[in-house]
Amino acid sequence: MPNAILDPTGSVTSKAATAAAPRARRPASLNGARVGLLINTKQNARPFLEEVGRLLAEKYDVTLTERTKVNFAVPEPDEVIKELVAGNDVVITGVGDCGSCSAAAAADGVVLEAAGVPVAAIITESFIPTADAMAALRGAPGYQYATTAHPVAVLTEDKVKERAAQVLDNVVALLTEPAAGE
Amino acid sequence: MTESAPDPDEAQRAIEYCYDQGWSDGLPLVPVSKPLLDRFLATTDKEPDEIIGSLEQVGRDVDVRTAAINAAMAGCKPEYFPVVLAAFDALMRERAARGGGFQSTSGPAPLIVVNGPIRKELGFNTAGGAFGPGFRPNMTIPRAIGLIVRNAFGIHPHVLEQATQGVPGRWSICVAENEEESPWEPFAADGGVTGGVSAVSVTLTRTMEFVDNRHTPNPEDVLRDLQDTIGRIGSLIFPQTSVALVLCPEHAQMFAAAGLSKADVQNWLIERSGRTGHEFRLMGKESVATKTFHGPFEGDDAFHSILSGPKQIPVIVAGAKNAAISMVVRIFGEWSGTAVPVMEKK
C-alpha cells in the first residue's frame, strides 16, 4: 500500500465558515427609519454614502447617523457591530472598491444581517467575485449587495452624486424586499 | 538501472495529482507523504497541532503540521523548517499581513531577511544575486510562505486575492544578509535579536527600484541619489511611507569609511526624503501631502517628508562587493520592527 499524498489545506476552524447566517427581516418601508452609514474611508466613499443618505432622507424622512470603519480592510469588531445593531434599523456600507475592503463590506453585511439589521453593501463591479467568496465563507452564499461601476475613487463630485442616485433604487430594494422564497 | 532509482512516471502522476487538487502556485509541487512530513516535524519542538497564525476575516488558522506540508511541497528540505516557522511568525507580526494584505490589489510580496550562522549551515546565498534565483533555501522558503497563504488561508488569485498586477517574484524574495562584508551590526539586531543568534525578519513589500551609483567618491552624493529615488511620488498613497534600503557592500562600506553609522544614514534620508506640495499637486495627489491621513493639503511650498523614523527605513546589507548597486524596496504598510529567532529542536 503506497503512502497517501497529504492535503496542505488544513482545516477550516472558524465561526466564519460554520452555520448558515440568516438574512434579517425587512421593514415594509424605510419611512422614518434610522439609517446608519458605515463609511469605509476609501476615496469618495463618504460623499457617495452621504448622497445616498441625503436622497433617502428626502424621500423617506429617515434619520441618518454616520460611522467610519475602524479598518477598511477587515470586518468591524464585535463591539462596533453591537452599537450599529442598537442604533440603526438598517445600515448602508461601502464603497468596496479594493480587494480587502470589498470582502470586508460583504462580511460586515452578513454579520449585521445575522444580528437582525438589513444591510445594503455597495461594491464596485470589479470585486463581485471576492465579495461573493467572502459571503460564502461567512455562511451566506448568494448574499445580495448593490453594485456600481468601477472606479469610484477618481470620480468628480457631480459624478459621485449621479452614481449615488443610480444605485438608490437597488439600495431601497435590498433594504425592504424579502429575498426570493422568503 | 538500479533497484532504488525513482520511477519518473509515478512522480509525474503525483505532481499532476497535486495540480488537480488546486494546491499549486503554478509550478510543480513536491508530493508530500507521511514519512516526509514526519522528517519536517522532527526539526521542531512545537506540537503538530499548535496554531502558528490566524487570518480572522477568512476564519482560517495555520497549525505546524499544515505549515510543514506546505514547506515540503514548496521544495524545502526538512532542516529548513525552523526558518519557515520563524519567517511565518515574523510575517504574522505585520499588521498589514493580519489585515487585508494578502487580499489587496497591491499583491504585496514578503521580503524575508535571514541573519546568523543558519545562513551558512543551510547553504543560503549570502553574496551575489541576493534577490535570487539559484539557491534552494532562498527560493523554497518564501515559496513555502506563499503556499501556506494559498492553501491554509485559502487566498486564491481572482477570488479572495485581488492583485491588480502583483509584484514580480511575489513568493521568492529571501535575502540572507551579507554580514561578512557589512560594516555594521546584523539586521536582526535592529529587530531586537542580538548576539549573532540566527533570526528571520519579514515585511511586506510592493516593488523595488535600484540605485546604480558607481560614479562618485563622495558618500553624500550617493545619499542624495538614494534620497531622490526614495522620494519618488508614484508609489505613494498615504502621507507616510516606509522603504527598506538594501545596500550593496560597496555603498555600505563607503558610508562606514566616512564615519557614518547605520543610524546616520537613516537619519540623513529621513530628514530629506520627500517632495514639495507643488510636486504632489502636479500629480493630483494633494491628499497624500498632508500631515495626517485625510488631513488638509499642506500647500504648494511645504516640503512633505515621507519617512517618520528609523523603523520606516530598515537598512540591510546584501549582494556582492562587485558594483555599487543598491535597492530601494517599497514597504507595504509598516515593518513590525521585530526579528524572530530560529528555534531548532533542542
Side-chain angles (χ1 to χ4, degrees), chain A residues 3-10 12-14 41 71 73-75 99-100 103 127 129-130 133-134 137-138, chain B residues 17 23 32-33 35 37 56-61 66 69-70 73 99-100 103 151 158-160 162 294:
Chain A
N3 283 310
I5 295 179
L6 300 182
D7 183 322
T9 58
V12 174
T13 47
S14 106
T41 76
N71 177 352
V74 294
S100 54
F127 295 99
T130 205
M134 181 56 99
L137 204 60
R138 293 262 161 177
Chain B
Y17 174 88
W23 297 337
V32 184
S33 59
L37 170 63
E56 211 173 296
Q57 66 269 37
V58 296
R60 300 284 288 260
D61 296 335
T66 304
I69 296 171
N70 282 283
M73 282 191 342
Q103 299 159 256
N151 292 315
H158 299 183
V159 190
L160 286 172
Q162 286 287 321
H294 285 183

mmCIF file of all heavy atoms in Angstrom, chain A residues 3-10 12-14 41 71 73-75 99-100 103 127 129-130 133-134 137-138, chain B residues 17 23 32-33 35 37 56-61 66 69-70 73 99-100 103 151 158-160 162 294:
data_model
loop_
_atom_site.group_PDB
_atom_site.id
_atom_site.type_symbol
_atom_site.label_atom_id
_atom_site.label_comp_id
_atom_site.label_asym_id
_atom_site.label_seq_id
_atom_site.Cartn_x
_atom_site.Cartn_y
_atom_site.Cartn_z
ATOM 1 N N ASN A 3 2.082 5.239 0.230
ATOM 2 C CA ASN A 3 1.690 6.350 1.096
ATOM 3 C C ASN A 3 0.711 7.267 0.374
ATOM 4 O O ASN A 3 0.826 7.479 -0.839
ATOM 5 C CB ASN A 3 2.930 7.172 1.480
ATOM 6 C CG ASN A 3 3.739 6.478 2.545
ATOM 7 O OD1 ASN A 3 3.214 6.060 3.569
ATOM 8 N ND2 ASN A 3 5.036 6.339 2.275
ATOM 9 N N ALA A 4 -0.196 7.847 1.138
ATOM 10 C CA ALA A 4 -1.121 8.837 0.562
ATOM 11 C C ALA A 4 -0.384 10.156 0.360
ATOM 12 O O ALA A 4 0.582 10.449 1.061
ATOM 13 C CB ALA A 4 -2.290 9.042 1.499
ATOM 14 N N ILE A 5 -0.860 10.943 -0.609
ATOM 15 C CA ILE A 5 -0.355 12.317 -0.770
ATOM 16 C C ILE A 5 -1.135 13.202 0.200
ATOM 17 O O ILE A 5 -2.368 13.208 0.192
ATOM 18 C CB ILE A 5 -0.527 12.799 -2.227
ATOM 19 C CG1 ILE A 5 0.353 11.940 -3.156
ATOM 20 C CG2 ILE A 5 -0.143 14.274 -2.357
ATOM 21 C CD1 ILE A 5 0.245 12.295 -4.627
ATOM 22 N N LEU A 6 -0.399 13.954 1.018
ATOM 23 C CA LEU A 6 -1.053 14.709 2.091
ATOM 24 C C LEU A 6 -1.649 16.022 1.586
ATOM 25 O O LEU A 6 -1.084 16.698 0.719
ATOM 26 C CB LEU A 6 -0.061 14.984 3.219
ATOM 27 C CG LEU A 6 0.519 13.726 3.862
ATOM 28 C CD1 LEU A 6 1.468 14.104 5.008
ATOM 29 C CD2 LEU A 6 -0.580 12.795 4.384
ATOM 30 N N ASP A 7 -2.775 16.385 2.177
ATOM 31 C CA ASP A 7 -3.521 17.599 1.828
ATOM 32 C C ASP A 7 -2.941 18.797 2.583
ATOM 33 O O ASP A 7 -2.842 18.762 3.806
ATOM 34 C CB ASP A 7 -4.988 17.371 2.218
ATOM 35 C CG ASP A 7 -5.896 18.527 1.838
ATOM 36 O OD1 ASP A 7 -5.474 19.701 1.943
ATOM 37 O OD2 ASP A 7 -7.057 18.255 1.455
ATOM 38 N N PRO A 8 -2.575 19.882 1.863
ATOM 39 C CA PRO A 8 -1.949 21.032 2.531
ATOM 40 C C PRO A 8 -2.927 22.115 2.981
ATOM 41 O O PRO A 8 -2.498 23.191 3.381
ATOM 42 C CB PRO A 8 -1.057 21.590 1.412
ATOM 43 C CG PRO A 8 -1.887 21.366 0.178
ATOM 44 C CD PRO A 8 -2.625 20.057 0.404
ATOM 45 N N THR A 9 -4.232 21.870 2.902
ATOM 46 C CA THR A 9 -5.159 22.976 3.159
ATOM 47 C C THR A 9 -5.539 23.116 4.624
ATOM 48 O O THR A 9 -6.163 24.104 5.006
ATOM 49 C CB THR A 9 -6.451 22.829 2.319
ATOM 50 O OG1 THR A 9 -7.050 21.579 2.632
ATOM 51 C CG2 THR A 9 -6.127 22.897 0.847
ATOM 52 N N GLY A 10 -5.185 22.120 5.456
ATOM 53 C CA GLY A 10 -5.517 22.230 6.872
ATOM 54 C C GLY A 10 -7.010 22.156 7.081
ATOM 55 O O GLY A 10 -7.754 21.708 6.219
ATOM 56 N N VAL A 12 -10.676 24.099 8.219
ATOM 57 C CA VAL A 12 -11.374 25.378 8.410
ATOM 58 C C VAL A 12 -11.887 25.387 9.837
ATOM 59 O O VAL A 12 -12.601 24.500 10.257
ATOM 60 C CB VAL A 12 -12.538 25.500 7.420
ATOM 61 C CG1 VAL A 12 -13.351 26.750 7.709
ATOM 62 C CG2 VAL A 12 -12.008 25.509 6.008
ATOM 63 N N THR A 13 -11.499 26.402 10.598
ATOM 64 C CA THR A 13 -11.757 26.321 12.024
ATOM 65 C C THR A 13 -12.725 27.351 12.574
ATOM 66 O O THR A 13 -13.146 27.256 13.702
ATOM 67 C CB THR A 13 -10.441 26.535 12.772
ATOM 68 O OG1 THR A 13 -9.802 27.656 12.226
ATOM 69 C CG2 THR A 13 -9.555 25.327 12.679
ATOM 70 N N SER A 14 -13.047 28.350 11.773
ATOM 71 C CA SER A 14 -13.632 29.496 12.448
ATOM 72 C C SER A 14 -15.129 29.525 12.489
ATOM 73 O O SER A 14 -15.824 28.803 11.812
ATOM 74 C CB SER A 14 -13.164 30.748 11.758
ATOM 75 O OG SER A 14 -14.236 31.225 11.030
ATOM 76 N N THR A 41 -13.887 54.763 4.475
ATOM 77 C CA THR A 41 -12.739 55.692 4.315
ATOM 78 C C THR A 41 -12.069 55.651 2.945
ATOM 79 O O THR A 41 -11.125 56.395 2.715
ATOM 80 C CB THR A 41 -11.629 55.530 5.396
ATOM 81 O OG1 THR A 41 -10.857 54.359 5.122
ATOM 82 C CG2 THR A 41 -12.192 55.472 6.801
ATOM 83 N N ASN A 71 -11.127 49.858 10.345
ATOM 84 C CA ASN A 71 -10.089 49.466 9.392
ATOM 85 C C ASN A 71 -10.808 48.962 8.145
ATOM 86 O O ASN A 71 -11.530 47.969 8.214
ATOM 87 C CB ASN A 71 -9.218 48.367 10.020
ATOM 88 C CG ASN A 71 -8.150 47.851 9.066
ATOM 89 O OD1 ASN A 71 -8.140 48.193 7.876
ATOM 90 N ND2 ASN A 71 -7.277 47.007 9.555
ATOM 91 N N ALA A 73 -9.954 47.352 5.732
ATOM 92 C CA ALA A 73 -9.531 46.082 5.145
ATOM 93 C C ALA A 73 -10.136 44.852 5.811
ATOM 94 O O ALA A 73 -10.105 43.769 5.251
ATOM 95 C CB ALA A 73 -8.008 45.980 5.188
ATOM 96 N N VAL A 74 -10.661 45.018 7.014
ATOM 97 C CA VAL A 74 -11.166 43.839 7.749
ATOM 98 C C VAL A 74 -12.560 44.132 8.309
ATOM 99 O O VAL A 74 -12.939 45.287 8.472
ATOM 100 C CB VAL A 74 -10.203 43.420 8.893
ATOM 101 C CG1 VAL A 74 -8.876 42.937 8.332
ATOM 102 C CG2 VAL A 74 -9.990 44.553 9.877
ATOM 103 N N PRO A 75 -13.300 43.059 8.635
ATOM 104 C CA PRO A 75 -14.644 43.267 9.197
ATOM 105 C C PRO A 75 -14.584 44.021 10.530
ATOM 106 O O PRO A 75 -13.580 43.961 11.234
ATOM 107 C CB PRO A 75 -15.149 41.834 9.400
ATOM 108 C CG PRO A 75 -14.347 40.989 8.461
ATOM 109 C CD PRO A 75 -13.009 41.637 8.389
ATOM 110 N N GLY A 99 -9.493 44.978 -2.910
ATOM 111 C CA GLY A 99 -9.548 43.546 -2.626
ATOM 112 C C GLY A 99 -10.034 43.248 -1.228
ATOM 113 O O GLY A 99 -10.932 42.432 -1.021
ATOM 114 N N SER A 100 -9.431 43.915 -0.255
ATOM 115 C CA SER A 100 -9.781 43.603 1.126
ATOM 116 C C SER A 100 -11.062 44.305 1.551
ATOM 117 O O SER A 100 -11.878 43.746 2.265
ATOM 118 C CB SER A 100 -8.636 43.989 2.044
ATOM 119 O OG SER A 100 -8.283 45.347 1.837
ATOM 120 N N ALA A 103 -14.365 42.640 0.287
ATOM 121 C CA ALA A 103 -14.650 41.432 1.071
ATOM 122 C C ALA A 103 -15.121 41.819 2.472
ATOM 123 O O ALA A 103 -16.054 41.219 3.017
ATOM 124 C CB ALA A 103 -13.409 40.545 1.148
ATOM 125 N N PHE A 127 -15.204 43.788 -8.044
ATOM 126 C CA PHE A 127 -14.929 42.957 -6.872
ATOM 127 C C PHE A 127 -16.065 42.004 -6.523
ATOM 128 O O PHE A 127 -16.135 41.496 -5.411
ATOM 129 C CB PHE A 127 -14.548 43.851 -5.685
ATOM 130 C CG PHE A 127 -13.255 44.567 -5.948
ATOM 131 C CD1 PHE A 127 -13.249 45.877 -6.392
ATOM 132 C CD2 PHE A 127 -12.048 43.891 -5.842
ATOM 133 C CE1 PHE A 127 -12.050 46.524 -6.692
ATOM 134 C CE2 PHE A 127 -10.854 44.519 -6.142
ATOM 135 C CZ PHE A 127 -10.852 45.841 -6.568
ATOM 136 N N PRO A 129 -16.452 38.848 -7.525
ATOM 137 C CA PRO A 129 -16.010 37.505 -7.120
ATOM 138 C C PRO A 129 -15.507 37.441 -5.678
ATOM 139 O O PRO A 129 -15.766 36.469 -4.971
ATOM 140 C CB PRO A 129 -14.860 37.198 -8.095
ATOM 141 C CG PRO A 129 -15.071 38.110 -9.249
ATOM 142 C CD PRO A 129 -15.739 39.334 -8.709
ATOM 143 N N THR A 130 -14.796 38.477 -5.240
ATOM 144 C CA THR A 130 -14.223 38.402 -3.898
ATOM 145 C C THR A 130 -15.305 38.648 -2.841
ATOM 146 O O THR A 130 -15.299 38.022 -1.779
ATOM 147 C CB THR A 130 -12.994 39.336 -3.785
ATOM 148 O OG1 THR A 130 -12.152 38.851 -2.751
ATOM 149 C CG2 THR A 130 -13.363 40.775 -3.505
ATOM 150 N N ALA A 133 -17.157 35.380 -2.594
ATOM 151 C CA ALA A 133 -16.371 34.360 -1.897
ATOM 152 C C ALA A 133 -16.403 34.605 -0.395
ATOM 153 O O ALA A 133 -16.541 33.669 0.397
ATOM 154 C CB ALA A 133 -14.934 34.372 -2.410
ATOM 155 N N MET A 134 -16.268 35.867 0.000
ATOM 156 C CA MET A 134 -16.268 36.171 1.431
ATOM 157 C C MET A 134 -17.628 35.879 2.048
ATOM 158 O O MET A 134 -17.720 35.310 3.130
ATOM 159 C CB MET A 134 -15.861 37.629 1.648
ATOM 160 C CG MET A 134 -15.810 38.035 3.092
ATOM 161 S SD MET A 134 -14.713 37.011 4.109
ATOM 162 C CE MET A 134 -13.266 38.055 4.176
ATOM 163 N N LEU A 137 -17.990 32.216 2.544
ATOM 164 C CA LEU A 137 -17.139 31.801 3.655
ATOM 165 C C LEU A 137 -17.789 32.114 4.987
ATOM 166 O O LEU A 137 -17.578 31.443 5.984
ATOM 167 C CB LEU A 137 -15.828 32.575 3.520
ATOM 168 C CG LEU A 137 -14.562 32.050 4.122
ATOM 169 C CD1 LEU A 137 -14.220 30.703 3.550
ATOM 170 C CD2 LEU A 137 -13.433 33.034 3.806
ATOM 171 N N ARG A 138 -18.583 33.170 5.000
ATOM 172 C CA ARG A 138 -19.250 33.612 6.241
ATOM 173 C C ARG A 138 -20.626 32.975 6.398
ATOM 174 O O ARG A 138 -21.436 33.425 7.212
ATOM 175 C CB ARG A 138 -19.397 35.128 6.207
ATOM 176 C CG ARG A 138 -18.079 35.834 6.271
ATOM 177 C CD ARG A 138 -17.805 36.269 7.681
ATOM 178 N NE ARG A 138 -16.409 36.550 7.896
ATOM 179 C CZ ARG A 138 -15.915 37.009 9.036
ATOM 180 N NH1 ARG A 138 -16.691 37.215 10.056
ATOM 181 N NH2 ARG A 138 -14.642 37.228 9.164
ATOM 182 N N TYR B 17 -1.363 15.085 -9.879
ATOM 183 C CA TYR B 17 -2.415 14.956 -8.860
ATOM 184 C C TYR B 17 -2.480 16.232 -8.023
ATOM 185 O O TYR B 17 -3.556 16.770 -7.753
ATOM 186 C CB TYR B 17 -2.130 13.737 -7.968
ATOM 187 C CG TYR B 17 -3.077 13.602 -6.800
ATOM 188 C CD1 TYR B 17 -4.285 12.905 -6.922
ATOM 189 C CD2 TYR B 17 -2.765 14.161 -5.555
ATOM 190 C CE1 TYR B 17 -5.152 12.795 -5.844
ATOM 191 C CE2 TYR B 17 -3.628 14.058 -4.478
ATOM 192 C CZ TYR B 17 -4.830 13.363 -4.628
ATOM 193 O OH TYR B 17 -5.687 13.261 -3.560
ATOM 194 N N TRP B 23 -3.684 22.910 -5.497
ATOM 195 C CA TRP B 23 -2.742 23.267 -4.431
ATOM 196 C C TRP B 23 -1.568 24.108 -4.932
ATOM 197 O O TRP B 23 -0.867 24.726 -4.142
ATOM 198 C CB TRP B 23 -2.150 22.007 -3.777
ATOM 199 C CG TRP B 23 -3.158 21.134 -3.099
ATOM 200 C CD1 TRP B 23 -4.387 21.516 -2.634
ATOM 201 C CD2 TRP B 23 -3.017 19.731 -2.809
ATOM 202 N NE1 TRP B 23 -5.018 20.439 -2.060
ATOM 203 C CE2 TRP B 23 -4.213 19.334 -2.154
ATOM 204 C CE3 TRP B 23 -2.013 18.782 -3.035
ATOM 205 C CZ2 TRP B 23 -4.412 18.026 -1.714
ATOM 206 C CZ3 TRP B 23 -2.208 17.480 -2.599
ATOM 207 C CH2 TRP B 23 -3.399 17.107 -1.948
ATOM 208 N N VAL B 32 3.761 15.264 -0.951
ATOM 209 C CA VAL B 32 4.220 15.002 0.416
ATOM 210 C C VAL B 32 3.550 13.749 0.977
ATOM 211 O O VAL B 32 2.332 13.596 0.878
ATOM 212 C CB VAL B 32 3.912 16.205 1.332
ATOM 213 C CG1 VAL B 32 4.478 15.959 2.727
ATOM 214 C CG2 VAL B 32 4.499 17.485 0.731
ATOM 215 N N SER B 33 4.371 12.882 1.548
ATOM 216 C CA SER B 33 3.872 11.681 2.201
ATOM 217 C C SER B 33 4.095 11.815 3.709
ATOM 218 O O SER B 33 4.826 12.692 4.165
ATOM 219 C CB SER B 33 4.622 10.461 1.666
ATOM 220 O OG SER B 33 6.016 10.643 1.927
ATOM 221 N N PRO B 35 5.911 9.957 5.784
ATOM 222 C CA PRO B 35 7.317 9.907 6.225
ATOM 223 C C PRO B 35 8.054 11.231 5.995
ATOM 224 O O PRO B 35 8.864 11.634 6.837
ATOM 225 C CB PRO B 35 7.927 8.794 5.361
ATOM 226 C CG PRO B 35 6.768 7.938 4.969
ATOM 227 C CD PRO B 35 5.593 8.844 4.848
ATOM 228 N N LEU B 37 6.625 14.259 5.902
ATOM 229 C CA LEU B 37 6.061 15.181 6.898
ATOM 230 C C LEU B 37 6.733 14.951 8.259
ATOM 231 O O LEU B 37 7.101 15.912 8.948
ATOM 232 C CB LEU B 37 4.546 14.973 7.004
ATOM 233 C CG LEU B 37 3.858 15.703 8.166
ATOM 234 C CD1 LEU B 37 3.990 17.218 8.029
ATOM 235 C CD2 LEU B 37 2.378 15.303 8.250
ATOM 236 N N GLU B 56 -8.270 36.110 10.747
ATOM 237 C CA GLU B 56 -9.605 36.132 11.334
ATOM 238 C C GLU B 56 -10.695 36.357 10.300
ATOM 239 O O GLU B 56 -11.735 35.719 10.349
ATOM 240 C CB GLU B 56 -9.634 37.238 12.389
ATOM 241 C CG GLU B 56 -10.560 36.951 13.545
ATOM 242 C CD GLU B 56 -10.395 38.019 14.610
ATOM 243 O OE1 GLU B 56 -9.308 38.131 15.198
ATOM 244 O OE2 GLU B 56 -11.363 38.751 14.816
ATOM 245 N N GLN B 57 -10.445 37.283 9.353
ATOM 246 C CA GLN B 57 -11.531 37.657 8.448
ATOM 247 C C GLN B 57 -11.933 36.531 7.511
ATOM 248 O O GLN B 57 -13.040 36.536 6.993
ATOM 249 C CB GLN B 57 -11.181 38.921 7.641
ATOM 250 C CG GLN B 57 -10.043 38.791 6.669
ATOM 251 C CD GLN B 57 -8.711 39.159 7.296
ATOM 252 O OE1 GLN B 57 -8.464 38.864 8.452
ATOM 253 N NE2 GLN B 57 -7.839 39.790 6.524
ATOM 254 N N VAL B 58 -11.035 35.564 7.267
ATOM 255 C CA VAL B 58 -11.433 34.419 6.444
ATOM 256 C C VAL B 58 -11.631 33.183 7.305
ATOM 257 O O VAL B 58 -11.957 32.109 6.806
ATOM 258 C CB VAL B 58 -10.410 34.124 5.317
ATOM 259 C CG1 VAL B 58 -10.339 35.282 4.344
ATOM 260 C CG2 VAL B 58 -9.037 33.814 5.868
ATOM 261 N N GLY B 59 -11.431 33.333 8.600
ATOM 262 C CA GLY B 59 -11.723 32.242 9.518
ATOM 263 C C GLY B 59 -10.816 31.046 9.370
ATOM 264 O O GLY B 59 -11.236 29.897 9.515
ATOM 265 N N ARG B 60 -9.561 31.291 9.039
ATOM 266 C CA ARG B 60 -8.653 30.155 8.864
ATOM 267 C C ARG B 60 -7.452 30.282 9.787
ATOM 268 O O ARG B 60 -6.922 31.377 9.995
ATOM 269 C CB ARG B 60 -8.166 30.090 7.406
ATOM 270 C CG ARG B 60 -9.282 29.911 6.378
ATOM 271 C CD ARG B 60 -9.819 28.497 6.320
ATOM 272 N NE ARG B 60 -8.884 27.581 5.720
ATOM 273 C CZ ARG B 60 -8.948 27.160 4.448
ATOM 274 N NH1 ARG B 60 -9.891 27.589 3.652
ATOM 275 N NH2 ARG B 60 -8.058 26.306 3.979
ATOM 276 N N ASP B 61 -7.042 29.126 10.329
ATOM 277 C CA ASP B 61 -5.857 29.042 11.170
ATOM 278 C C ASP B 61 -4.824 28.168 10.477
ATOM 279 O O ASP B 61 -5.169 27.332 9.645
ATOM 280 C CB ASP B 61 -6.191 28.383 12.513
ATOM 281 C CG ASP B 61 -7.170 29.208 13.333
ATOM 282 O OD1 ASP B 61 -7.211 30.436 13.128
ATOM 283 O OD2 ASP B 61 -7.881 28.609 14.152
ATOM 284 N N THR B 66 0.224 21.675 9.055
ATOM 285 C CA THR B 66 -0.149 22.236 7.744
ATOM 286 C C THR B 66 1.007 23.046 7.160
ATOM 287 O O THR B 66 1.294 22.959 5.955
ATOM 288 C CB THR B 66 -1.399 23.120 7.895
ATOM 289 O OG1 THR B 66 -2.430 22.329 8.477
ATOM 290 C CG2 THR B 66 -1.863 23.649 6.561
ATOM 291 N N ILE B 69 3.563 20.611 5.742
ATOM 292 C CA ILE B 69 3.175 20.013 4.452
ATOM 293 C C ILE B 69 3.438 21.003 3.322
ATOM 294 O O ILE B 69 4.008 20.659 2.274
ATOM 295 C CB ILE B 69 1.687 19.572 4.470
ATOM 296 C CG1 ILE B 69 1.476 18.464 5.496
ATOM 297 C CG2 ILE B 69 1.249 19.104 3.077
ATOM 298 C CD1 ILE B 69 0.001 18.116 5.746
ATOM 299 N N ASN B 70 3.073 22.248 3.544
ATOM 300 C CA ASN B 70 3.286 23.268 2.511
ATOM 301 C C ASN B 70 4.776 23.527 2.268
ATOM 302 O O ASN B 70 5.205 23.751 1.138
ATOM 303 C CB ASN B 70 2.546 24.555 2.871
ATOM 304 C CG ASN B 70 1.064 24.454 2.570
ATOM 305 O OD1 ASN B 70 0.649 24.557 1.420
ATOM 306 N ND2 ASN B 70 0.265 24.198 3.592
ATOM 307 N N MET B 73 6.052 20.683 0.233
ATOM 308 C CA MET B 73 5.559 20.821 -1.143
ATOM 309 C C MET B 73 6.358 21.857 -1.914
ATOM 310 O O MET B 73 6.564 21.741 -3.117
ATOM 311 C CB MET B 73 4.077 21.253 -1.148
ATOM 312 C CG MET B 73 3.112 20.157 -0.857
ATOM 313 S SD MET B 73 1.364 20.598 -1.187
ATOM 314 C CE MET B 73 1.369 22.338 -1.241
ATOM 315 N N GLY B 99 -4.129 42.012 8.447
ATOM 316 C CA GLY B 99 -5.269 42.726 7.876
ATOM 317 C C GLY B 99 -5.551 42.168 6.496
ATOM 318 O O GLY B 99 -5.549 40.976 6.291
ATOM 319 N N GLY B 100 -5.763 43.048 5.552
ATOM 320 C CA GLY B 100 -6.165 42.554 4.236
ATOM 321 C C GLY B 100 -5.044 42.417 3.225
ATOM 322 O O GLY B 100 -5.297 42.322 2.030
ATOM 323 N N GLN B 103 -5.163 39.943 0.424
ATOM 324 C CA GLN B 103 -6.314 40.120 -0.478
ATOM 325 C C GLN B 103 -6.155 41.367 -1.326
ATOM 326 O O GLN B 103 -6.960 41.621 -2.205
ATOM 327 C CB GLN B 103 -7.594 40.271 0.364
ATOM 328 C CG GLN B 103 -7.934 39.096 1.232
ATOM 329 C CD GLN B 103 -8.875 39.525 2.360
ATOM 330 O OE1 GLN B 103 -8.489 39.682 3.506
ATOM 331 N NE2 GLN B 103 -10.135 39.737 2.024
ATOM 332 N N ASN B 151 -2.980 27.814 0.495
ATOM 333 C CA ASN B 151 -3.677 26.583 0.887
ATOM 334 C C ASN B 151 -4.279 26.629 2.291
ATOM 335 O O ASN B 151 -5.403 26.183 2.496
ATOM 336 C CB ASN B 151 -2.721 25.398 0.775
ATOM 337 C CG ASN B 151 -2.364 25.110 -0.670
ATOM 338 O OD1 ASN B 151 -3.244 25.091 -1.526
ATOM 339 N ND2 ASN B 151 -1.081 24.922 -0.956
ATOM 340 N N HIS B 158 -7.808 35.838 -8.057
ATOM 341 C CA HIS B 158 -9.085 36.164 -8.694
ATOM 342 C C HIS B 158 -10.281 35.917 -7.786
ATOM 343 O O HIS B 158 -11.415 36.179 -8.187
ATOM 344 C CB HIS B 158 -9.313 35.401 -10.018
ATOM 345 C CG HIS B 158 -8.273 35.704 -11.055
ATOM 346 N ND1 HIS B 158 -8.301 35.183 -12.324
ATOM 347 C CD2 HIS B 158 -7.158 36.467 -11.005
ATOM 348 C CE1 HIS B 158 -7.254 35.616 -13.014
ATOM 349 N NE2 HIS B 158 -6.541 36.399 -12.215
ATOM 350 N N VAL B 159 -10.047 35.353 -6.607
ATOM 351 C CA VAL B 159 -11.170 35.127 -5.693
ATOM 352 C C VAL B 159 -10.925 36.021 -4.470
ATOM 353 O O VAL B 159 -11.201 37.208 -4.511
ATOM 354 C CB VAL B 159 -11.321 33.629 -5.345
ATOM 355 C CG1 VAL B 159 -12.633 33.407 -4.602
ATOM 356 C CG2 VAL B 159 -11.292 32.786 -6.607
ATOM 357 N N LEU B 160 -10.343 35.472 -3.415
ATOM 358 C CA LEU B 160 -10.037 36.352 -2.275
ATOM 359 C C LEU B 160 -8.753 37.153 -2.505
ATOM 360 O O LEU B 160 -8.480 38.112 -1.811
ATOM 361 C CB LEU B 160 -9.937 35.542 -0.981
ATOM 362 C CG LEU B 160 -11.288 35.055 -0.432
ATOM 363 C CD1 LEU B 160 -11.091 34.104 0.737
ATOM 364 C CD2 LEU B 160 -12.192 36.211 -0.030
ATOM 365 N N GLN B 162 -6.890 39.670 -4.887
ATOM 366 C CA GLN B 162 -7.376 40.600 -5.923
ATOM 367 C C GLN B 162 -6.257 41.501 -6.459
ATOM 368 O O GLN B 162 -6.514 42.652 -6.816
ATOM 369 C CB GLN B 162 -8.508 41.449 -5.339
ATOM 370 C CG GLN B 162 -9.811 40.691 -5.164
ATOM 371 C CD GLN B 162 -10.501 40.425 -6.481
ATOM 372 O OE1 GLN B 162 -10.517 41.259 -7.373
ATOM 373 N NE2 GLN B 162 -11.070 39.242 -6.629
ATOM 374 N N HIS B 294 -6.162 61.899 5.613
ATOM 375 C CA HIS B 294 -7.384 62.699 5.396
ATOM 376 C C HIS B 294 -7.289 64.115 5.969
ATOM 377 O O HIS B 294 -8.295 64.793 6.089
ATOM 378 C CB HIS B 294 -8.632 61.997 5.964
ATOM 379 C CG HIS B 294 -9.082 60.848 5.088
ATOM 380 N ND1 HIS B 294 -10.194 60.101 5.348
ATOM 381 C CD2 HIS B 294 -8.548 60.312 3.977
ATOM 382 C CE1 HIS B 294 -10.343 59.169 4.430
ATOM 383 N NE2 HIS B 294 -9.349 59.279 3.589
#
